[in-house]
Amino acid sequence: MTSDKNMEERNDAFDSAIRERLSGHEPAVPHALWTRISAELNESEGVAAPAVTDIQAPVATIPWWRVAAAAAVVITIGASSLLYTLQPKTENTVAAAPATVVHTQSAPAIEIKEASQVAIAATPAVAKKATTPTVVEETSPAVNTVVADKADNSVKDVVAPATQDQDAALASAPAVTPAATMDLGSIPAFSLKRLSAPESLNDEITIIKSAPSKKKHHKHGEEEEATRVIILNKKFDSQPDIRYQLPVRF
Amino acid sequence: MAVAIKPTYSEQDIIEGCVKGDRKFQELLYHTYCSKMFSVCLRYANEYSTAEDLLQEGFVKVFKNMEKFRGEGSFEGWIRRIFVNNSIEHFRKKANMYVVQETEALTYEYYDDNALSKLMKEDLMKLIQSLSSGYRTIFNLYVIEGYSHKEIAEMLGVTEGTSKSQLARARYLLQKKIVDLMPHMKYQLPDQEATI
């Protein structure tokens, strides 16, 4: 009996000690717990997250400024192509603007450089001829006709004899292999107009040699064998075009 | 220096706000009682994560049943009962929770009265959590919550004898765990036997 009473007393003491020890125990609560509780309350109240069917699929949109830039580029390219297509051909331009031809004829230095592959620089007479009013008149159709008529036998009138210095320059010039040889008589009217075209730097040229002919040298009074060289530009059209007539010593 | 002045709400304001479903008052109520209720959950749970789940479930039940509070008794007591019942319900699902143990004579080493006072609260909580769920529940209900064996028997659907025996064994195991944790605090009582 006493033992049971003591046991109860000990148990009561132990229980009260436990209660006292745990009183005021307030452990730290995880911070994210309220978020979870709030989410569960929202879900139970019907404020759930939108269903999958309510979510619109992302649409690939292009910003307006990109569209505008692309349109500007397309319009620019289109307009440029149209203008390039509609612009007159080179021959038409030259024929319609003879004044331009005359102007470019006054720059023989550039012309000589362009044709330096065939030692055109050794023919000052040509450059001189080009700068003279007489040559300018060649741009007219009438003069062209006259010159064309004389093409087969008027070389001596047009081409001045080369000096010794010029001969040396010709000798030092790189050898050029003619791509084609044709009779001068078949060459149509020529002009110097094409020399004005800046594209001549990249022109594909062909050198045509005529049969050697005896020619009297002006200064030395000697006769020498000269060959007429005609430079053809294949790039502009299929019609052969005489650029120069040069005496070349082979 | 700016001083933030928080508006003070009475308990009645918080209750009315929670009844209306105002999330702000619900959060206020949560922050007011979360620590105390978490302590309850830790005592009934066997581990920390389970206590978190019990705390979340308990507050959701509190907010969903706020309109049932009639103002009879303390509001904190009403909330605590919800958490206790929720914890009991959580562990009631486990089979063989309240297995009647054979009555046996337990000779135990009694501990020093000062042992508990020198034990950390967290350590004591872990020792309680280490008890099996049946022992732990009855020990909490009787020792901490103050329910009688009759009430516990009704709550858990067991006999009063089962409640008593479970409590005696839970008490014995807890004392033994305390002594094992602090061996220098024990002493052997001569001829001390307990028949449980």
Side-chain angles (χ1 to χ4, degrees):
Chain A
M1 193 68 180
T2 306
S3 176
D4 292 343
K5 191 176 182 180
N6 291 336
M7 180 68 68
E8 287 180 5
E9 288 178 357
R10 286 199 301 273
N11 288 339
D12 290 341
F14 177 75
D15 292 348
S16 62
I18 293 289
R19 278 193 295 269
E20 184 180 354
R21 197 76 188 96
L22 291 179
S23 64
H25 179 234
E26 296 182 0
V29 181
H31 295 291
L33 198 59
W34 167 247
T35 307
R36 287 159 52 185
I37 293 172
S38 179
E40 188 173 347
L41 290 172
N42 289 336
E43 192 174 351
S44 63
E45 292 172 3
V47 196
V52 177
T53 54
D54 297 338
I55 301 174
Q56 290 186 345
V59 180
T61 56
I62 303 175
W64 65 269
W65 57 269
R66 287 193 176 182
V67 176
V73 169
V74 169
I75 290 172
T76 304
I77 294 173
S80 301
S81 302
L82 189 62
L83 291 174
Y84 181 79
T85 304
L86 296 179
Q87 72 177 354
K89 299 296 182 182
T90 308
E91 285 187 356
N92 297 337
T93 306
V94 171
T100 305
V101 174
V102 172
H103 174 71
T104 54
Q105 290 290 330
S106 63
I110 298 175
E111 297 163 10
I112 290 170
K113 286 184 178 179
E114 294 170 359
S116 61
Q117 295 90 336
V118 291
I120 296 174
T123 61
V126 174
K128 182 181 178 181
K129 197 70 177 181
T131 55
T132 57
T134 304
V135 177
V136 171
E137 289 177 359
E138 289 179 0
T139 57
S140 64
V143 175
N144 278 343
T145 304
V146 171
V147 174
D149 294 339
K150 296 164 63 178
D152 56 346
N153 55 6
S154 61
V155 176
K156 295 174 183 176
D157 300 334
V158 177
V159 179
T163 62
Q164 289 183 348
D165 296 338
Q166 292 165 350
D167 294 341
L170 285 172
S172 63
V176 178
T177 303
T181 302
M182 61 188 299
D183 186 8
L184 289 179
S186 62
I187 297 175
F190 66 90
S191 69
L192 300 176
K193 299 170 188 175
R194 296 294 174 80
L195 294 174
S196 63
E199 293 83 359
S200 59
L201 287 169
N202 299 320
D203 283 349
E204 179 181 357
I205 61 173
T206 303
I207 300 173
I208 302 171
K209 293 189 298 180
S210 65
S213 61
K214 295 293 182 180
K215 178 177 174 293
K216 187 176 182 180
H217 199 286
H218 285 193
K219 289 185 179 180
H220 306 286
E222 300 172 353
E223 282 189 353
E224 60 180 7
E225 196 175 77
T227 302
R228 289 191 299 176
V229 177
I230 303 169
I231 302 173
L232 299 180
N233 191 330
K234 290 186 176 178
K235 186 174 184 181
F236 288 94
D237 49 38
S238 59
Q239 211 169 24
D241 191 3
I242 300 175
R243 291 290 187 92
Y244 299 100
Q245 294 175 333
L246 299 174
V248 180
R249 180 176 297 170
F250 293 94
Chain B
M1 181 180 176
V3 178
I5 301 174
K6 291 184 178 179
T8 55
Y9 296 99
S10 65
E11 187 177 270
Q12 189 61 31
D13 295 335
I14 294 175
I15 293 171
E16 290 177 358
C18 290
V19 170
K20 294 177 182 176
D22 191 328
R23 198 68 79 233
K24 181 182 70 176
F25 285 103
Q26 288 177 340
E27 186 174 4
L28 199 58
L29 176 68
Y30 166 80
H31 287 297
T32 302
Y33 296 106
C34 66
S35 293
K36 292 179 181 177
M37 297 306 119
F38 193 47
S39 177
V40 173
C41 295
L42 281 173
R43 277 192 285 110
Y44 282 89
N46 55 348
E47 56 185 2
Y48 193 85
S49 60
T50 306
E52 287 185 6
D53 294 340
L54 291 175
L55 185 66
Q56 181 177 343
E57 292 174 11
F59 269 110
V60 170
K61 286 186 177 179
V62 167
F63 293 135
K64 286 183 177 178
N65 296 280
M66 282 297 295
E67 69 277 2
K68 295 181 181 176
F69 177 67
R70 301 174 183 174
E72 300 172 356
S74 71
F75 183 60
E76 182 179 344
W78 181 77
I79 293 178
R80 180 184 289 265
R81 269 201 306 277
I82 290 178
F83 276 89
V84 169
N85 290 335
N86 180 62
S87 300
I88 292 172
E89 186 65 26
H90 183 84
F91 290 102
R92 190 196 298 273
K93 301 169 186 174
K94 295 179 182 278
N96 300 325
M97 181 178 172
Y98 307 108
V99 176
V100 178
Q101 301 288 330
E102 292 294 331
T103 300
E104 57 179 325
L106 297 176
T107 303
Y108 60 93
E109 302 165 307
Y110 195 63
Y111 69 101
D112 190 350
D113 294 336
N114 296 323
L116 268 178
S117 61
K118 295 179 180 178
L119 194 65
M120 298 286 290
K121 290 182 179 179
E122 289 73 17
D123 293 335
L124 178 59
M125 190 68 74
K126 288 180 181 177
L127 292 179
I128 294 174
Q129 286 177 341
S130 66
L131 296 173
S132 65
S133 57
Y135 294 153
R136 187 173 61 246
T137 302
I138 291 176
F139 180 82
N140 280 320
L141 290 173
Y142 186 88
V143 175
I144 310 296
E145 313 298 342
Y147 288 102
S148 66
H149 285 294
K150 185 179 179 181
E151 292 172 328
I152 293 172
E154 290 176 356
M155 290 170 67
L156 301 180
V158 295
T159 62
E160 288 187 43
T162 301
S163 176
K164 288 180 181 178
S165 64
Q166 296 278 314
L167 175 64
R169 192 159 189 86
R171 194 182 281 131
Y172 164 77
L173 291 174
L174 188 58
Q175 290 176 356
K176 189 172 185 305
K177 289 175 184 294
I178 292 172
V179 170
D180 291 341
L181 189 64
M182 308 174 71
H184 59 284
M185 301 299 292
K186 73 176 181 181
Y187 62 93
Q188 183 73 42
L189 291 178
D191 301 331
Q192 197 58 249
E193 286 187 356
T195 303
I196 301 176

